[in-house]
Each structure stands twice: as C-alpha cells, then as structure tokens.
Amino acid sequence: MTSNLPLLPTSVIGSYAWPAWLHTALAAAQRGEYGPDDMLETQNDAVDLALRDQDDAGVDIITDGEMRRVGFFTAEFYGHMTGLIELPPRRKVGVVGHDQREGYEATAPVEAPAGLGLVQEFEYARTRTATPLKVPCPGPFTLAGRIRPGSIYKDRIDVAYALAAIINRELKALVQAGVTFIQLDEPSYAVHSRAGAPEEFVKLFNTAVDGVNAKIGLHLCFGNFVGRPVAKRTYRPLFPYILDVRADQLALEFANREMAELDLWREFASEKELAAGVVDVKNYYVETPADVAERIRRVLEVAPAEKVTLTPDCGFSQTARWASRAKLKALVDGTKIVRAELTGT
Ligand SMILES: [Zn+2]
C-alpha cells in the first residue's frame, strides 16, 4: 500500500470529530426512537462524512473515523464481549472526566464470539473511498483498563492477555479482508510505565500482533478522553524497551508538548518509522501551515524523511469538527511546504 505514497505521507491517528447531527441522532436512538436500520444508516452517513473531510483535506492515509465506536450507547468494544457485567460510573455529575465512564467486571472468561466489529467497519469504508486506509484498534492493555478482574483473572495484565487473544483473531480477520495497515492504540502504556512494566507491554503487544501479516503501527499517547490526559507527559520510561515491539511504526504525540522529547528518537536509534504528532488536537488554536512546517523540520532533525509520517497528536473525537477540518488542512499544507523544500516539487 505504501508504493504510491509521497515522501512524508500524512495520516491520522484514528477517531474523527462528530457532525452535530450525530449527537442528536444518538440521543434520539437512546430514547428508543431509532430501529437497527436507522442506526446503521446513521453510522454509514457518519463514516461517509469522516472519509470526505479527510479526503477533502488531502490526507494520504485515512481511517473510517471510528464513527461506529460511539461510547456507551453501542458499548464500544465491550458490547461485543461476553463474560462481563457493567458497573455504573462512580461519579455521575459535575465536570466531565474519565471517572464518569462505566466499567466492567469479568464474571466468566471474556470472549468475543462474533469478533469486535472491525472487519465490518473496514468493509464499508473500503467501498466509500479510494484513499489508502489504516485500521486502528485499541490495544489489549488499554481495553483491559476498564475491566475488573473479578474472580476470573489475577490482575489487569491477566485480563489484557485474554483480550490479546481476541484482538489477534480480529487482526488476522482484517488481513484476510484485505487490510494492509493496522494500528494498535495503547495510551495506557505511558500511564502505567513503572519499572518492569514496559518489558511486559512489549510481550503483550507482540502476542496481540503475532502472525498478523500487515504493516503494524503502535500509537502511544497520554490520554485524550474529553481532551484530558491521564499521565505524566513523558515517553522516557518506555524507552528503549518499547523499540522491541513488533511494530513497523510508532505514532507519538509531540505538538501538545511543544515538541518535547523528540530527542528520544535520536538517543535511541531505531529502524522503525516515526509517525509524529505535529497538530495539537487539544488546542483550539488552529495551526498555520507554517507552524506545522516548523514542527516537521524539527522532526527531521531526529529522523530521516523516508521514515517519517505526519499526523495529528491523537484522534479528533474530542475536537469540534470545524477545528478538526481546519487542522487537517494545516497538516496537509504544512507538509507540502516541507516536501517542496526536500524534493523541489
Ligand atoms: Zn491518542
């Protein structure tokens, strides 16, 4: 899939901003006003818009915007799993935050008899754009974060290995369906990067992608739910261990931290590609193309252009759509400036 890509391809992390009507449609659906066909049509339309916005901006590798993964109403991935009971959020009022999300507890070994829905997502998106597609999937450690082990599992890592088996099957099904680029999202690695943990994360990741014959990316960030991070904003504890993951590309956020820690990429030499976050999804200041170009030039001080992809820091699901559109355009236009400097085109 990479053969026709330009130098310094642009891409996204995964989720995309919701159109206004999707909020009201989901509220209506929650009140019982939508049947399954209404819901399917709504979600298809939402995917169409996400693809269209990315294509309009001229992004080189896009996703379906994760528009079907819309929070508790569709229960995200957990709705596909058996062996779980839902636990209500511990806090229900006041400022929005991570602690207002529902959790789960394992009451039986967790399984996903019909898969996680990613194949269906891809199959629809593939018919709606000719642009190369990447399929993002939450990683097992992040997904395990909302599942209490109960009496079934020993701890969170134990839950994560059960999920890694489910994810591994899903990823192989994606490859079977024609997917050539898969990205696992593991914001929780940086949150829990205490001593010994990064080595365990590598083992877990490699289990999840074992035998998956596609280009593999790993997205690491500091959390983005309601635009709030949940970790110290440093990748350092993960290095150099994280370079042992069986991934071709690491997708890291930099823009939000004014490009801090880029030097890690120089300090720990790696053959891996770097997908560098050069647009801040948590900031309503819309970068100019010149801002983006400046950030890219800094990335190129630590990584060769042939190994660099440019992305926003994280998904756009927590960013207003008008800002997301403007930021995608700035990403593409800023990249064009630097591409022209490098290639003279
Ligand atoms: Zn992220």
Side-chain angles (χ1 to χ4, degrees), residues 18 20-36 38-39 42 70 72-73:
W18 293 12
W21 57 261
L22 186 57
H23 292 272
T24 44
L26 287 170
Q30 269 180 278
R31 294 192 299 268
E33 296 169 15
Y34 276 35
D38 304 310
M39 201 58 224
T42 298
V70 288
F72 63 89
F73 174 66

Side-chain angles (χ1 to χ4, degrees), residues 140-141 157 161 186-207 218 220 234-246 250 264 268 272:
F141 191 68
I157 280 285
Y161 273 100
E186 285 284 24
S188 292
Y189 281 7
V191 182
H192 296 272
S193 54
R194 59 190 177 277
E199 295 92 324
E200 188 65 48
F201 294 155
V202 169
K203 258 197 284 176
L204 178 65
F205 182 90
N206 291 348
T207 302
L218 167 59
L220 301 167
T234 174
Y235 291 121
R236 181 162 284 279
L238 292 173
F239 279 77
Y241 317 101
I242 202 67
L243 296 171
D244 289 335
V245 290
R246 219 217 84 210
L250 295 192
L264 284 173
F268 300 100
K272 293 193 191 309

Side-chain angles (χ1 to χ4, degrees), residues 13 187 219 221 224 313-315:
I13 294 302
H219 170 55
C221 68
N224 189 29
D313 276 349
C314 195

Side-chain angles (χ1 to χ4, degrees), residues 91-143:
R91 185 171 67 85
K92 293 191 178 182
V93 299
V95 289
V96 291
H98 287 267
D99 55 344
Q100 290 184 321
R101 303 176 104 179
E102 75 286 3
Y104 301 87
E105 183 171 321
T107 53
V110 179
E111 288 171 34
L116 297 173
L118 270 60
V119 174
Q120 294 86 336
E121 285 181 4
F122 171 74
E123 284 177 342
Y124 178 79
R126 187 65 293 164
T127 65
R128 306 299 286 169
T129 180
T131 308
L133 282 167
K134 168 170 79 173
V135 177
C137 175
F141 191 68
T142 294
L143 269 184

Side-chain angles (χ1 to χ4, degrees), residues 2 17 37 49 62 82 86 145 150 162 165 168 170 198-199 204 212 215 219 230 237 242 248 250 306 336 339:
T2 52
D37 286 354
L49 279 187
I62 64 178
T82 59
E86 195 175 317
N168 185 260
E170 190 79 6
E199 295 92 324
L204 178 65
V212 177
K215 177 171 178 172
H219 170 55
V230 287
I242 202 67
D248 305 284
L250 295 192
E306 303 71 41
K336 281 180 183 163
R339 211 180 270 153

